[in-house]
Coordinates of all heavy atoms in Angstrom, one line a residue:
M122 N 23.0 117.4 30.4 CA 22.0 117.6 29.3 C 22.7 117.3 28.0 O 23.8 117.7 27.7 CB 21.5 119.1 29.3 CG 20.6 119.4 28.2 SD 20.2 121.1 28.1 CE 18.7 121.1 29.1
P123 N 22.0 116.5 27.1 CA 22.6 116.1 25.8 C 22.8 117.4 25.0 O 22.0 118.3 25.0 CB 21.5 115.3 25.2 CG 20.6 114.8 26.3 CD 20.7 115.9 27.3
S124 N 23.9 117.4 24.2 CA 24.2 118.5 23.4 C 25.0 118.1 22.1 O 25.7 117.1 22.2 CB 25.0 119.5 24.2 OG 25.5 120.6 23.4
T125 N 24.8 118.8 21.1 CA 25.6 118.6 19.9 C 26.9 119.3 20.0 O 27.8 119.1 19.1 CB 24.8 119.1 18.6 OG1 24.6 120.5 18.7 CG2 23.5 118.4 18.4
G126 N 27.1 120.2 20.9 CA 28.3 120.9 21.1 C 28.2 122.3 20.6 O 29.1 123.2 20.8
W127 N 27.1 122.7 19.9 CA 26.9 124.0 19.4 C 25.5 124.4 19.5 O 24.6 123.7 19.1 CB 27.4 124.1 17.9 CG 27.3 125.4 17.3 CD1 27.7 126.6 17.8 CD2 26.8 125.7 15.9 NE1 27.5 127.6 16.9 CE2 26.9 127.1 15.8 CE3 26.3 125.0 14.9 CZ2 26.6 127.8 14.6 CZ3 25.9 125.6 13.8 CH2 26.1 127.0 13.6
D128 N 25.2 125.6 20.1 CA 23.9 126.0 20.4 C 22.9 126.0 19.2 O 21.8 125.5 19.3 CB 23.9 127.4 21.1 CG 22.5 127.9 21.4 OD1 21.8 127.2 22.1 OD2 22.2 129.0 20.9
K129 N 23.4 126.5 18.1 CA 22.5 126.6 16.9 C 22.1 125.2 16.4 O 21.0 124.9 16.0 CB 23.1 127.4 15.8 CG 23.5 128.8 16.2 CD 22.4 129.5 16.9 CE 22.8 130.9 17.4 NZ 22.9 131.1 18.8
S130 N 23.1 124.3 16.4 CA 22.7 122.9 16.0 C 21.8 122.2 17.0 O 21.0 121.4 16.6 CB 24.0 122.1 15.7 OG 24.8 121.9 16.9
N131 N 21.9 122.6 18.2 CA 20.9 122.1 19.2 C 19.5 122.5 18.8 O 18.6 121.7 18.9 CB 21.3 122.5 20.6 CG 22.5 121.9 21.2 OD1 22.9 120.8 20.8 ND2 23.1 122.5 22.2
H132 N 19.4 123.8 18.5 CA 18.1 124.3 18.0 C 17.6 123.6 16.8 O 16.4 123.2 16.7 CB 18.2 125.8 17.8 CG 18.2 126.7 19.0 ND1 17.0 127.2 19.5 CD2 19.2 127.0 19.8 CE1 17.3 127.9 20.6 NE2 18.6 127.8 20.8
V133 N 18.4 123.4 15.8 CA 18.1 122.8 14.6 C 17.6 121.3 14.9 O 16.5 120.9 14.4 CB 19.2 122.8 13.5 CG1 18.9 121.9 12.3 CG2 19.5 124.2 13.1
L134 N 18.4 120.6 15.6 CA 18.0 119.2 16.0 C 16.7 119.1 16.7 O 15.8 118.3 16.4 CB 19.1 118.6 16.7 CG 18.9 117.1 17.1 CD1 18.7 116.2 15.9 CD2 20.1 116.6 18.0
A135 N 16.5 120.0 17.7 CA 15.3 120.0 18.5 C 14.1 120.3 17.7 O 13.1 119.5 17.8 CB 15.4 121.0 19.7
F136 N 14.1 121.3 16.9 CA 13.0 121.7 16.1 C 12.8 120.8 14.9 O 11.6 120.6 14.4 CB 13.0 123.1 15.7 CG 12.5 124.0 16.8 CD1 13.3 124.3 17.9 CD2 11.2 124.5 16.9 CE1 12.9 125.1 19.0 CE2 10.7 125.2 17.9 CZ 11.6 125.5 19.0
A137 N 13.8 120.1 14.4 CA 13.7 119.1 13.3 C 12.9 117.9 13.9 O 12.0 117.4 13.2 CB 15.0 118.7 12.8
T138 N 13.2 117.6 15.1 CA 12.5 116.5 15.8 C 11.1 116.8 16.0 O 10.2 116.0 15.7 CB 13.2 116.1 17.1 OG1 14.6 115.8 16.8 CG2 12.5 115.0 17.8
L139 N 10.8 118.0 16.5 CA 9.4 118.4 16.7 C 8.6 118.4 15.4 O 7.5 118.0 15.3 CB 9.4 119.8 17.3 CG 9.8 120.0 18.7 CD1 9.9 121.4 19.1 CD2 8.8 119.2 19.6
A140 N 9.2 118.9 14.3 CA 8.5 119.0 13.0 C 8.3 117.6 12.5 O 7.2 117.3 11.9 CB 9.4 119.8 12.0
F141 N 9.3 116.7 12.6 CA 9.1 115.3 12.1 C 8.0 114.6 12.9 O 7.1 114.0 12.2 CB 10.4 114.5 12.3 CG 10.4 113.1 11.8 CD1 10.5 112.8 10.5 CD2 10.1 112.1 12.7 CE1 10.5 111.5 10.1 CE2 10.1 110.8 12.3 CZ 10.2 110.5 11.0
L142 N 8.0 114.7 14.2 CA 6.9 114.1 15.0 C 5.6 114.7 14.7 O 4.6 114.0 14.7 CB 7.3 114.2 16.5 CG 8.5 113.3 16.9 CD1 8.9 113.6 18.3 CD2 8.3 111.9 16.6
A143 N 5.5 116.0 14.5 CA 4.3 116.7 14.2 C 3.7 116.2 12.9 O 2.5 116.0 12.8 CB 4.4 118.2 14.2
H144 N 4.6 116.1 11.9 CA 4.2 115.6 10.6 C 3.6 114.2 10.7 O 2.6 113.9 10.1 CB 5.4 115.6 9.6 CG 5.0 115.2 8.3 ND1 4.7 116.0 7.3 CD2 4.8 113.9 7.8 CE1 4.4 115.3 6.2 NE2 4.5 114.0 6.4
K145 N 4.3 113.3 11.4 CA 3.8 112.0 11.6 C 2.5 111.9 12.4 O 1.6 111.1 12.1 CB 4.9 111.1 12.2 CG 6.1 111.0 11.4 CD 5.8 110.3 10.1 CE 7.1 110.2 9.3 NZ 6.8 109.6 8.0
A146 N 2.3 112.7 13.4 CA 1.2 112.7 14.3 C -0.1 113.3 13.6 O -1.2 112.8 13.8 CB 1.4 113.4 15.6
W147 N 0.1 114.4 12.9 CA -1.0 115.2 12.3 C -0.6 115.6 10.9 O -0.4 116.8 10.6 CB -1.3 116.4 13.1 CG -1.7 116.1 14.5 CD1 -2.9 115.6 15.0 CD2 -0.9 116.3 15.7 NE1 -2.9 115.4 16.3 CE2 -1.7 115.9 16.8 CE3 0.4 116.8 15.9 CZ2 -1.2 115.9 18.1 CZ3 0.9 116.8 17.2 CH2 0.1 116.4 18.3
P148 N -0.5 114.7 9.9 CA 0.0 115.0 8.6 C -0.9 116.0 7.8 O -0.4 116.7 7.0 CB 0.0 113.7 7.9 CG -0.9 112.8 8.7 CD -0.9 113.3 10.1
G149 N -2.2 116.1 8.1 CA -3.0 117.0 7.4 C -3.1 118.4 8.0 O -3.8 119.3 7.5
R150 N -2.4 118.7 9.0 CA -2.5 120.0 9.7 C -1.1 120.7 9.7 O -0.9 121.6 10.6 CB -2.9 119.8 11.1 CG -4.3 119.2 11.2 CD -4.8 119.1 12.6 NE -6.1 118.5 12.5 CZ -7.1 118.9 13.2 NH1 -7.0 119.9 14.1 NH2 -8.3 118.3 13.2
L151 N -0.3 120.5 8.7 CA 1.0 121.1 8.7 C 0.9 122.7 8.6 O 1.7 123.4 9.1 CB 1.8 120.6 7.6 CG 2.2 119.1 7.7 CD1 2.9 118.6 6.5 CD2 3.0 118.9 9.0
W152 N -0.1 123.1 7.9 CA -0.3 124.6 7.7 C -0.5 125.3 9.1 O -0.2 126.4 9.2 CB -1.5 124.8 6.8 CG -2.8 124.2 7.3 CD1 -3.3 123.0 7.1 CD2 -3.7 124.8 8.2 NE1 -4.4 122.7 7.8 CE2 -4.7 123.9 8.5 CE3 -3.8 126.1 8.8 CZ2 -5.8 124.1 9.3 CZ3 -4.9 126.3 9.7 CH2 -5.9 125.4 9.9
L153 N -1.0 124.5 10.1 CA -1.1 125.1 11.4 C 0.0 124.7 12.3 O 0.5 125.5 13.1 CB -2.4 124.5 12.0 CG -2.8 124.9 13.4 CD1 -2.9 126.4 13.5 CD2 -4.0 124.2 13.9
L154 N 0.6 123.5 12.2 CA 1.6 123.0 13.1 C 2.9 123.7 12.9 O 3.5 124.1 13.9 CB 1.8 121.5 12.9 CG 0.7 120.6 13.3 CD1 0.9 119.2 12.9 CD2 0.5 120.7 14.8
L155 N 3.4 123.9 11.7 CA 4.7 124.5 11.6 C 4.8 125.9 12.0 O 5.7 126.3 12.7 CB 5.2 124.3 10.1 CG 5.5 122.8 9.7 CD1 5.9 122.7 8.3 CD2 6.4 122.1 10.6
P156 N 3.8 126.8 11.7 CA 3.8 128.1 12.2 C 3.7 128.1 13.7 O 4.3 129.0 14.4 CB 2.7 128.8 11.5 CG 2.4 128.0 10.3 CD 2.8 126.6 10.6
S157 N 2.9 127.2 14.3 CA 2.7 127.1 15.7 C 4.0 126.8 16.4 O 4.4 127.3 17.5 CB 1.6 126.1 16.1 OG 0.4 126.6 15.6
L158 N 4.7 125.8 15.8 CA 6.0 125.4 16.4 C 7.1 126.6 16.3 O 7.8 126.8 17.2 CB 6.6 124.2 15.7 CG 5.8 122.9 16.1 CD1 6.3 121.8 15.2 CD2 6.0 122.6 17.5
L159 N 7.0 127.4 15.2 CA 7.9 128.5 15.1 C 7.5 129.6 16.2 O 8.4 130.2 16.8 CB 7.9 129.1 13.7 CG 8.9 130.2 13.4 CD1 10.3 129.6 13.7 CD2 8.7 130.7 12.0
A160 N 6.2 129.7 16.4 CA 5.8 130.7 17.4 C 6.2 130.2 18.8 O 6.6 131.0 19.7 CB 4.2 130.8 17.4
Y161 N 6.2 128.9 19.0 CA 6.7 128.3 20.3 C 8.2 128.7 20.5 O 8.6 129.1 21.6 CB 6.5 126.8 20.3 CG 7.1 126.1 21.4 CD1 6.6 126.3 22.7 CD2 8.1 125.2 21.2 CE1 7.2 125.6 23.8 CE2 8.7 124.5 22.3 CZ 8.2 124.7 23.6 OH 8.7 124.1 24.6
G162 N 9.0 128.6 19.4 CA 10.4 128.9 19.5 C 10.5 130.4 19.8 O 11.4 130.8 20.6
A163 N 9.7 131.3 19.2 CA 9.7 132.7 19.5 C 9.4 133.0 20.9 O 10.0 133.8 21.6 CB 8.8 133.5 18.6
L164 N 8.4 132.3 21.5 CA 8.0 132.4 22.9 C 9.1 132.0 23.8 O 9.4 132.7 24.8 CB 6.8 131.6 23.2 CG 6.3 131.6 24.6 CD1 5.9 133.0 25.0 CD2 5.2 130.6 24.8
I165 N 9.8 131.0 23.5 CA 11.0 130.6 24.3 C 12.0 131.7 24.3 O 12.6 132.0 25.4 CB 11.6 129.3 23.7 CG1 10.7 128.1 23.9 CG2 13.0 129.0 24.4 CD1 11.1 126.8 23.2
E166 N 12.3 132.3 23.1 CA 13.3 133.4 23.1 C 12.8 134.6 23.9 O 13.6 135.2 24.6 CB 13.6 133.8 21.6 CG 14.3 132.7 20.8 CD 15.6 132.3 21.4 OE1 16.4 133.1 21.8 OE2 15.8 131.0 21.5
I167 N 11.6 134.9 23.8 CA 11.0 136.1 24.5 C 11.1 135.8 26.0 O 11.6 136.7 26.8 CB 9.5 136.3 24.1 CG1 9.5 136.9 22.7 CG2 8.9 137.3 25.1 CD1 8.1 136.9 22.1
L168 N 10.7 134.6 26.5 CA 10.8 134.3 27.9 C 12.3 134.3 28.4 O 12.5 134.7 29.5 CB 10.1 133.0 28.2 CG 8.6 133.0 28.0 CD1 8.0 131.6 28.2 CD2 7.9 134.0 28.8
Q169 N 13.2 133.9 27.6 CA 14.6 133.9 28.0 C 15.1 135.3 28.2 O 16.0 135.5 29.1 CB 15.5 133.3 26.9 CG 15.5 131.8 26.9 CD 16.5 131.2 25.9 OE1 16.9 130.1 26.1 NE2 16.8 131.9 24.8
S170 N 14.5 136.3 27.5 CA 15.0 137.6 27.7 C 14.6 138.2 29.1 O 15.2 139.2 29.5 CB 14.4 138.5 26.6 OG 13.0 138.7 26.8
F171 N 13.7 137.5 29.8 CA 13.3 137.9 31.1 C 14.1 137.2 32.2 O 13.9 137.5 33.4 CB 11.8 137.7 31.4 CG 11.0 138.6 30.5 CD1 10.2 138.0 29.5 CD2 10.9 139.9 30.7 CE1 9.4 138.8 28.7 CE2 10.1 140.7 29.9 CZ 9.4 140.2 28.9
T172 N 15.0 136.4 31.9 CA 15.8 135.7 32.9 C 17.2 136.4 33.0 O 17.7 136.9 32.0 CB 16.0 134.2 32.5 OG1 16.7 134.1 31.3 CG2 14.7 133.5 32.4
P173 N 17.8 136.3 34.2 CA 19.1 137.0 34.4 C 20.3 136.4 33.7 O 21.2 137.1 33.3 CB 19.3 137.0 35.9 CG 18.5 135.9 36.4 CD 17.3 135.7 35.4
D174 N 20.3 135.1 33.4 CA 21.4 134.4 32.9 C 21.2 133.9 31.4 O 22.1 133.2 30.9 CB 21.8 133.2 33.8 CG 20.7 132.2 33.9 OD1 19.5 132.6 33.8 OD2 21.0 131.1 34.3
R175 N 20.1 134.3 30.8 CA 19.9 133.9 29.4 C 19.5 135.1 28.6 O 19.1 136.1 29.2 CB 18.7 132.9 29.3 CG 18.8 131.6 30.2 CD 19.9 130.6 29.6 NE 19.6 130.2 28.3 CZ 19.0 129.1 27.9 NH1 18.6 128.2 28.8 NH2 18.9 128.7 26.7
Y176 N 19.6 135.1 27.3 CA 19.2 136.2 26.5 C 18.6 135.7 25.2 O 18.9 134.5 24.8 CB 20.3 137.2 26.3 CG 21.6 136.5 25.8 CD1 21.8 136.4 24.4 CD2 22.5 136.0 26.7 CE1 23.0 135.8 24.0 CE2 23.7 135.4 26.2 CZ 23.9 135.3 24.9 OH 25.0 134.7 24.4
A177 N 17.8 136.5 24.6 CA 17.1 136.1 23.3 C 18.0 136.4 22.2 O 18.8 137.4 22.2 CB 15.8 136.9 23.2
E178 N 18.0 135.5 21.2 CA 18.8 135.7 20.0 C 18.0 135.4 18.7 O 17.3 134.4 18.6 CB 20.0 134.8 19.9 CG 21.1 135.0 20.9 CD 22.2 134.1 20.7 OE1 22.9 134.2 19.7 OE2 22.5 133.3 21.6
W179 N 18.0 136.3 17.8 CA 17.3 136.1 16.5 C 17.9 134.9 15.8 O 17.1 134.1 15.1 CB 17.4 137.3 15.6 CG 16.5 138.4 15.9 CD1 16.9 139.6 16.6 CD2 15.1 138.5 15.8 NE1 15.7 140.4 16.7 CE2 14.6 139.7 16.3 CE3 14.2 137.6 15.2 CZ2 13.3 140.1 16.2 CZ3 12.9 138.0 15.2 CH2 12.4 139.2 15.7
S180 N 19.2 134.7 15.9 CA 19.8 133.5 15.3 C 19.3 132.2 15.8 O 19.2 131.2 15.1 CB 21.3 133.6 15.4 OG 21.7 133.7 16.7
D181 N 18.8 132.2 17.1 CA 18.2 131.0 17.6 C 16.9 130.7 16.9 O 16.5 129.6 16.6 CB 18.0 131.1 19.1 CG 19.3 130.9 19.9 OD1 20.3 130.5 19.3 OD2 19.3 131.2 21.1
L182 N 16.1 131.8 16.7 CA 14.8 131.6 16.0 C 15.0 131.2 14.6 O 14.3 130.3 14.1 CB 14.0 132.9 16.1 CG 12.6 132.8 15.7 CD1 11.8 131.8 16.5 CD2 11.9 134.2 15.8
W183 N 16.1 131.7 13.9 CA 16.4 131.2 12.6 C 16.7 129.8 12.5 O 16.3 129.0 11.7 CB 17.5 132.1 12.0 CG 17.0 133.4 11.4 CD1 17.2 134.6 12.0 CD2 16.4 133.6 10.2 NE1 16.6 135.6 11.3 CE2 16.1 135.0 10.1 CE3 15.9 132.8 9.2 CZ2 15.5 135.6 9.0 CZ3 15.3 133.4 8.1 CH2 15.1 134.8 8.0
A184 N 17.5 129.4 13.5 CA 17.9 127.9 13.7 C 16.7 127.1 13.9 O 16.6 126.0 13.4 CB 18.9 127.8 14.8
D185 N 15.7 127.6 14.7 CA 14.5 126.9 14.9 C 13.7 126.7 13.6 O 13.2 125.6 13.3 CB 13.6 127.6 15.9 CG 14.1 127.7 17.3 OD1 15.1 127.0 17.6 OD2 13.6 128.5 18.1
G186 N 13.6 127.7 12.8 CA 12.9 127.7 11.5 C 13.6 126.7 10.6 O 13.0 125.9 9.9
L187 N 15.0 126.7 10.6 CA 15.7 125.8 9.7 C 15.5 124.4 10.2 O 15.3 123.5 9.3 CB 17.2 126.1 9.8 CG 18.1 125.2 9.0 CD1 17.8 125.2 7.5 CD2 19.6 125.6 9.2
G188 N 15.4 124.1 11.5 CA 15.1 122.8 12.0 C 13.7 122.3 11.6 O 13.6 121.2 11.2
L189 N 12.8 123.2 11.6 CA 11.4 122.9 11.1 C 11.4 122.4 9.7 O 10.8 121.4 9.3 CB 10.4 124.0 11.4 CG 10.1 124.4 12.8 CD1 9.3 125.6 12.9 CD2 9.4 123.2 13.5
L190 N 12.2 123.2 8.9 CA 12.3 122.8 7.5 C 13.0 121.5 7.3 O 12.5 120.6 6.5 CB 13.1 123.9 6.7 CG 13.3 123.7 5.2 CD1 11.9 123.7 4.5 CD2 14.2 124.8 4.7
V191 N 14.1 121.2 8.0 CA 14.8 120.0 7.9 C 13.9 118.8 8.3 O 13.8 117.8 7.7 CB 16.1 120.0 8.7 CG1 16.7 118.6 8.9 CG2 17.1 121.0 8.1
G192 N 13.2 119.0 9.4 CA 12.3 117.9 9.9 C 11.2 117.6 9.0 O 10.8 116.4 8.8
E193 N 10.6 118.6 8.3 CA 9.5 118.4 7.4 C 10.1 117.7 6.1 O 9.4 116.8 5.6 CB 8.9 119.8 7.0 CG 7.8 119.6 6.0 CD 6.6 118.8 6.4 OE1 6.4 118.6 7.6 OE2 5.9 118.2 5.6
I194 N 11.2 118.1 5.7 CA 11.8 117.4 4.5 C 12.1 116.0 4.8 O 11.8 115.1 4.0 CB 13.1 118.2 4.0 CG1 12.7 119.5 3.4 CG2 13.9 117.3 3.1 CD1 13.9 120.4 3.2
F195 N 12.7 115.7 6.0 CA 13.0 114.3 6.4 C 11.7 113.5 6.5 O 11.6 112.4 6.1 CB 13.7 114.3 7.7 CG 14.2 113.0 8.1 CD1 15.2 112.3 7.4 CD2 13.8 112.4 9.3 CE1 15.7 111.1 7.7 CE2 14.2 111.1 9.6 CZ 15.2 110.5 8.9
A196 N 10.6 114.1 7.1 CA 9.3 113.4 7.2 C 8.8 113.0 5.8 O 8.3 111.9 5.6 CB 8.3 114.2 8.0
R197 N 8.9 114.0 4.9 CA 8.4 113.7 3.5 C 9.3 112.7 2.8 O 8.7 111.8 2.1 CB 8.3 115.0 2.7 CG 7.2 115.9 3.2 CD 7.2 117.2 2.5 NE 6.2 118.1 3.0 CZ 5.2 118.5 2.3 NH1 5.0 118.1 1.1 NH2 4.3 119.3 2.9
L198 N 10.6 112.7 3.1 CA 11.5 111.8 2.4 C 11.2 110.4 3.0 O 11.2 109.4 2.2 CB 12.9 112.2 2.7 CG 14.0 111.2 2.2 CD1 13.9 111.2 0.6 CD2 15.4 111.7 2.6
T199 N 11.0 110.2 4.3 CA 10.7 108.9 4.8 C 9.3 108.4 4.3 O 9.2 107.2 4.0 CB 10.7 108.9 6.3 OG1 9.7 109.8 6.8 CG2 12.1 109.2 6.9
W200 N 8.4 109.3 4.1 CA 7.1 108.8 3.6 C 7.3 108.4 2.1 O 6.7 107.3 1.7 CB 6.1 110.0 3.6 CG 4.8 109.7 3.0 CD1 3.7 109.0 3.6 CD2 4.3 109.9 1.7 NE1 2.7 108.9 2.8 CE2 3.0 109.4 1.5 CE3 4.9 110.5 0.6 CZ2 2.3 109.5 0.3 CZ3 4.2 110.5 -0.6 CH2 2.9 110.0 -0.7
W201 N 8.0 109.1 1.3 CA 8.3 108.8 -0.1 C 9.0 107.4 -0.2 O 8.6 106.6 -1.0 CB 9.1 109.9 -0.7 CG 9.4 109.7 -2.2 CD1 8.5 109.8 -3.2 CD2 10.6 109.3 -2.7 NE1 9.2 109.5 -4.4 CE2 10.5 109.1 -4.1 CE3 11.9 109.0 -2.1 CZ2 11.5 108.8 -4.9 CZ3 12.9 108.6 -3.0 CH2 12.7 108.5 -4.3
L202 N 10.0 107.2 0.7 CA 10.7 106.0 0.6 C 9.8 104.8 1.0 O 9.9 103.7 0.5 CB 11.9 106.0 1.6 CG 13.1 106.9 1.1 CD1 14.1 107.1 2.1 CD2 13.7 106.4 -0.2
A203 N 9.0 105.0 2.0 CA 8.0 104.0 2.4 C 7.1 103.6 1.3 O 6.7 102.5 1.1 CB 7.2 104.4 3.7
Q204 N 6.6 104.6 0.6 CA 5.7 104.4 -0.6 C 6.4 103.6 -1.6 O 5.8 102.7 -2.3 CB 5.2 105.7 -1.1 CG 4.3 106.5 -0.1 CD 3.1 105.6 0.3 OE1 2.4 105.0 -0.5 NE2 2.9 105.6 1.6
R205 N 7.6 103.9 -1.9 CA 8.4 103.1 -2.9 C 8.5 101.7 -2.5 O 8.5 100.8 -3.3 CB 9.8 103.7 -3.1 CG 9.7 105.0 -3.9 CD 11.1 105.5 -4.2 NE 11.9 104.4 -4.7 CZ 12.8 104.5 -5.7 NH1 13.0 105.6 -6.3 NH2 13.5 103.5 -6.1
Q206 N 8.8 101.4 -1.2 CA 8.9 100.0 -0.7 C 7.6 99.3 -0.8 O 7.6 98.1 -1.1 CB 9.4 100.0 0.7 CG 10.8 100.5 0.9 CD 11.8 99.6 0.2 OE1 11.6 98.4 0.2 NE2 12.8 100.2 -0.4
I207 N 6.5 99.9 -0.6 CA 5.2 99.3 -0.7 C 4.9 98.9 -2.1 O 4.3 97.9 -2.4 CB 4.1 100.2 -0.1 CG1 4.2 100.3 1.4 CG2 2.7 99.7 -0.5 CD1 3.3 101.4 2.1
G208 N 5.3 99.8 -3.0 CA 5.0 99.6 -4.5 C 5.8 98.4 -5.1 O 5.5 98.0 -6.2
R209 N 6.8 97.9 -4.4 CA 7.7 96.9 -4.9 C 7.1 95.5 -4.7 O 6.4 95.1 -3.9 CB 9.1 96.9 -4.4 CG 9.8 98.1 -4.9 CD 11.2 98.1 -4.4 NE 11.9 99.2 -5.0 CZ 13.1 99.5 -5.0 NH1 13.9 98.7 -4.3 NH2 13.7 100.5 -5.6

């Protein structure tokens, strides 16, 4: 399985990717998408607590939230850069 080598950065990268793709797919629904993706991360943590070899961590959920923020910023930055290129 691909890994960055650190669990928290894996969470950030995964949720940044989800946020970026969600922004591109449904740009007008961010008020619904980002909280829904964070709830998805919380659900994953809750379900992990029921497995014998995994456990839930608040820090994983924080990393998910940070990833959503990073992905959203990156999506807005790419949009802004594309608009500047069009204007030239």
Side-chain angles (χ1 to χ4, degrees):
M122 175 184 269
S124 176
T125 63
W127 183 42
D128 178 55
K129 302 310 176 247
S130 60
N131 289 338
H132 281 264
V133 171
L134 180 60
F136 277 80
T138 302
L139 287 172
F141 180 83
L142 293 175
H144 180 99
K145 297 299 182 181
W147 300 285
R150 298 187 181 219
L151 296 176
W152 59 271
L153 177 63
L154 290 171
L155 295 179
S157 297
L158 287 171
L159 189 59
Y161 174 66
L164 177 63
I165 291 170
E166 293 303 314
I167 291 167
L168 293 175
Q169 280 185 155
S170 71
F171 293 110
T172 62
D174 57 338
R175 304 288 303 260
Y176 51 92
E178 291 185 65
W179 282 106
S180 56
D181 285 351
L182 191 57
W183 280 101
D185 297 346
L187 178 61
L189 292 173
L190 180 63
V191 168
E193 179 59 25
I194 290 170
F195 188 65
R197 289 174 186 247
L198 180 62
T199 58
W200 178 85
W201 180 75
L202 290 172
Q204 294 302 311
R205 284 186 49 139
Q206 290 297 322
I207 291 171
R209 288 184 178 188

